[in-house]
């Protein structure tokens, strides 16, 4: 079945550590997105990419980095510069200007 | 700047008790308004897209409507399995980003 796979489901980060969240899609969508969800707040856009080897910052890109080397994959790295990384991270993909479809998220916590 | 406000924050209904969720928005040049359903610990599931005032979409017990300032998600004779958080988002011309509301947490009591 086509869909978006995020892994791992749960992730723990130590002080000063970078961690990478995986997002893979087999929907043949050109656009991919990373959001952060915190309690009581709407989803906030971190980065998005509309084509391979190109991506743009969203509203809260500081402390995060991404790459888009393949159409199917859009990994997100949470760097040690992100001082409040505890959140639920959601990856989405879409055909340009069509509804976004989401994976089931990765919950990141601090040890 | 686009703004989306959803109300109420939480709603508890008896099974079979119909009601509506509200999504008020401010956007310059609406390209589309989206409704999603989100279950705990899961990603949002796409429900509807509305493009212009007066448009309506239906799916099972859900019906979404759109005016120039707000959208309603009407739920008719809900069942416990309709319990979830319902999210609204807007997309405007010239911007690939969606702006999300904070959601309405709906609980249907058997």
């Amino acid at each position: 079945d086509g869909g978006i796979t995020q892994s791992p489901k749960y992730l723990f980060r130590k002080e000063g550590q970078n961690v990478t969240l995986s997002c893979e899609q087999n929907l043949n969508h050109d656009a991919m997105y990373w959001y952060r969800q915190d309690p009581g707040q709407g989803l906030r856009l971190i980065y998005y990419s509309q084509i391979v080897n190109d991506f743009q910052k969203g509203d809260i890109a500081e402390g995060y980095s991404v790459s888009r080397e393949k159409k199917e994959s859009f990994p997100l790295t949470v760097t040690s510069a992100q001082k409040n990384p505890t959140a639920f991270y959601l990856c989405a993909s879409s055909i340009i200007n069509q509804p976004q479809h989401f994976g089931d998220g990765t919950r990141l916590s601090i040890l | 700047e686009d703004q989306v406000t959803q109300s109420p924050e939480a709603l508890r209904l008896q099974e079979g008790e119909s009601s509506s969720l509200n999504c008020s928005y401010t956007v310059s040049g609406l390209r589309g308004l989206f409704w999603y359903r989100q279950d705990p610990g899961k990603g949002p599931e796409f429900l509807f897209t509305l493009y212009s005032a007066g448009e309506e979409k239906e799916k099972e017990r859900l019906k979404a409507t759109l005016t120039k300032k707000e959208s309603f998600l009407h739920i008719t004779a809900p069942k416990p399995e309709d319990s979830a958080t319902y999210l609204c988002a807007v997309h405007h011309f010239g911007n690939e980003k969606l702006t999300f509301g904070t959601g309405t947490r709906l609980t249907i009591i058997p």
Side-chain angles (χ1 to χ4, degrees):
Chain A
D1 277 6
I4 301 169
T5 302
Q6 291 189 242
S7 62
K9 191 168 177 64
Y10 300 96
L11 188 58
F12 298 90
R13 195 189 89 169
K14 295 180 180 179
E15 200 74 33
Q17 186 181 45
N18 294 351
V19 292
T20 297
L21 284 60
S22 171
C23 178
E24 303 277 333
Q25 56 99 359
N26 60 3
L27 300 168
N28 199 33
H29 288 169
D30 287 311
M32 297 187 74
Y33 310 81
W34 274 106
Y35 291 89
R36 171 180 172 140
Q37 188 173 36
D38 295 280
Q41 296 194 43
L43 274 69
R44 293 182 290 167
L45 184 66
I46 305 172
Y47 269 98
Y48 66 101
S49 167
Q50 294 184 277
I51 195 169
V52 173
N53 292 322
D54 189 44
F55 48 83
Q56 286 75 42
K57 293 182 179 180
D59 299 317
I60 55 165
E62 186 175 347
Y64 300 97
S65 65
V66 293
S67 63
R68 187 88 186 276
E69 297 177 1
K70 298 187 300 181
K71 187 175 184 177
E72 302 80 19
S73 179
F74 192 39
L76 173 74
T77 296
V78 183
T79 75
S80 56
Q82 172 50 244
K83 297 306 179 188
N84 184 24
T86 297
F88 190 48
Y89 290 87
L90 288 160
C91 178
S93 71
S94 74
I95 298 170
I96 303 293
N97 295 331
Q98 294 298 308
Q100 295 177 20
H101 296 270
F102 287 82
D104 275 341
T106 292
R107 188 166 298 281
L108 177 62
S109 302
I110 301 302
L111 282 178
Chain B
E1 184 178 324
D2 299 347
Q3 287 194 320
V4 178
T5 303
Q6 291 189 246
S7 62
E9 285 187 19
L11 181 62
R12 291 170 63 90
L13 299 172
Q14 292 293 133
E15 184 173 359
E17 180 185 1
S18 301
S19 188
S20 297
L21 315 182
N22 178 263
C23 171
S24 298
Y25 64 90
T26 304
V27 62
S28 54
L30 180 71
R31 173 178 270 168
L33 184 143
F34 303 92
W35 281 99
Y36 288 86
R37 169 194 169 123
Q38 186 175 23
D39 293 302
K42 300 283 190 180
E45 174 190 347
F46 170 71
L47 293 173
F48 303 110
T49 309
L50 301 166
Y51 293 104
S52 57
E55 190 175 0
E56 298 182 352
K57 294 271 180 75
E58 286 189 66
K59 180 180 179 180
E60 296 181 0
R61 295 175 292 282
L62 298 176
K63 178 179 174 180
T65 62
L66 182 66
T67 73
K68 288 186 178 180
K69 293 184 178 181
E70 56 192 350
S71 177
F72 291 94
L73 185 65
H74 307 277
I75 182 159
T76 302
K79 298 182 178 181
E81 53 262 41
D82 295 321
S83 298
T85 295
Y86 290 86
L87 303 174
C88 169
V90 296
H91 186 200
H92 80 245
F93 285 101
N95 189 337
E96 290 309 314
K97 301 187 295 183
L98 294 184
T99 301
F100 280 84
T102 54
T104 293
R105 188 172 65 254
L106 178 65
T107 303
I108 308 301
I109 304 161

